[in-house]
């Protein structure tokens, strides 16, 4: 199923299987609009993205955590597990930043953990939930063009929907994962 280009689900729409294509420099995209309906109600979320290394990629991950918080009840506990690859040049900084994300998440009902894939073959990027959604990400979470992150008074720093994005696509697949795994 393909949605028209430039279409982002609204909060009022129930999540549906879809393939959405975003064009270069498109605006109006936010993680909350794009992923929120698919993450709502999930208790376990696995993010697979081998490119959560540089500061801006870690910030994108933190912004996804904000989306998870916005789409869960205050009393709910959500487990989020990241599978990524170690930064070959700044592994200590990467680990320190992931630890900071974990500490920040612990006070708001998210248990954040991560593992570093060492196979050297990891390339695919997706988000899977325990309630049956798989979100296939062509670019992972790195969908926005560079912007000035240190400018406190810049709206592009604060609001994702004002940032121009890179060309990317997202596919939302509803699946009975328990059936798939039991037939293996």
């Amino acid at each position: 199923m393909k949605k028209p280009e430039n279409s982002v689900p609204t909060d009022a729409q129930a999540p549906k299987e879809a393939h959405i294509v975003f064009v270069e420099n498109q605006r109006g995209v936010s993680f909350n609009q794009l992923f929120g309906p698919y993450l709502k109600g999930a208790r376990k979320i696995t993010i697979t993205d081998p490119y959560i290394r540089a500061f801006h990629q870690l910030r994108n991950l933190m912004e996804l955590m904000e989306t998870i918080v916005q789409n869960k009840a205050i009393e709910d506990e959500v487990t989020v597990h990241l599978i990524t690859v170690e930064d070959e040049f700044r592994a200590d900084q990467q680990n320190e930043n992931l630890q900071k994300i974990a500490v920040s998440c612990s006070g708001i009902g998210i248990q954040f953990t991560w593992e570093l894939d060492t196979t050297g073959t990891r390339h695919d990027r997706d988000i899977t939930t325990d309630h049956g959604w798989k979100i296939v990400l062509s670019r992972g979470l790195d969908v926005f063009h560079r912007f000035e992150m240190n400018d406190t008074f810049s709206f592009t720093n604060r609001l994702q929907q004002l940032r121009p994005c890179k060309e990317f696509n997202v596919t939302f697949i509803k699946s009975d994962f328990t059936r798939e795994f039991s037939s293996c």
Side-chain angles (χ1 to χ4, degrees):
M1 178 189 305
K2 181 175 172 154
K3 282 191 148 188
E5 286 188 1
N6 302 332
S7 176
V8 175
T10 65
D11 291 335
Q13 295 174 324
K16 298 176 187 158
E17 287 192 328
H19 178 75
I20 306 174
V21 175
F22 295 88
V23 297
E24 187 73 14
N25 293 318
Q26 179 176 334
R27 293 178 191 262
V29 178
S30 76
F31 287 172
N32 194 43
Q33 289 174 315
L34 190 59
F35 304 132
Y38 298 90
L39 300 176
K40 191 173 209 134
R43 300 290 186 171
K44 293 182 181 176
I45 300 169
T46 301
I47 304 162
T48 303
D49 188 336
Y51 301 101
I52 305 293
R53 304 173 189 179
F55 181 80
H56 75 280
Q57 295 162 334
L58 288 151
R59 179 177 165 152
N60 289 338
L61 176 63
M62 187 63 191
E63 289 180 342
L64 181 64
M65 296 298 114
E66 292 171 6
T67 295
I68 293 168
V69 168
Q70 291 170 353
N71 286 280
K72 75 173 202 65
I74 292 172
E75 66 275 6
D76 287 349
E77 294 289 323
V78 178
T79 300
V80 178
H81 185 68
L82 170 68
I83 302 168
T84 193
V85 174
E86 184 175 69
D87 185 321
E88 61 186 291
F89 303 108
R90 295 174 302 242
D92 290 341
Q93 186 66 48
Q94 178 190 29
N95 191 55
E96 181 180 323
N97 287 329
L98 289 168
Q99 185 61 43
K100 287 178 181 178
I101 291 171
V103 167
S104 183
C105 288
S106 68
I108 54 164
I110 296 177
Q111 179 186 0
F112 175 73
T113 59
W114 69 93
E115 70 181 271
L116 301 175
D117 179 77
T118 58
T119 65
T121 61
R122 184 76 58 179
H123 179 75
D124 291 347
R125 291 158 258 204
D126 60 60
I127 301 169
T128 57
T129 69
D130 64 337
H131 65 334
W133 284 105
K134 182 170 187 156
I135 305 167
V136 181
L137 308 164
S138 66
R139 295 192 69 94
L141 300 176
D142 195 5
V143 299
F144 299 107
H145 281 292
R146 270 189 98 82
F147 60 94
E148 182 52 57
M149 287 189 260
N150 294 323
D151 185 353
T152 304
F153 304 106
S154 169
F155 282 106
T156 56
N157 189 359
R158 306 299 314 147
L159 300 171
Q160 287 180 328
Q161 63 268 27
L162 297 179
R163 299 174 192 162
C165 67
K166 301 171 185 175
E167 180 180 319
F168 73 101
N169 63 75
V170 180
T171 304
F172 301 93
I173 303 166
K174 181 69 171 165
S175 180
D176 180 0
F177 292 113
T178 55
R179 186 186 76 232
E180 287 178 20
F181 292 129
S182 65
S183 65
C184 294

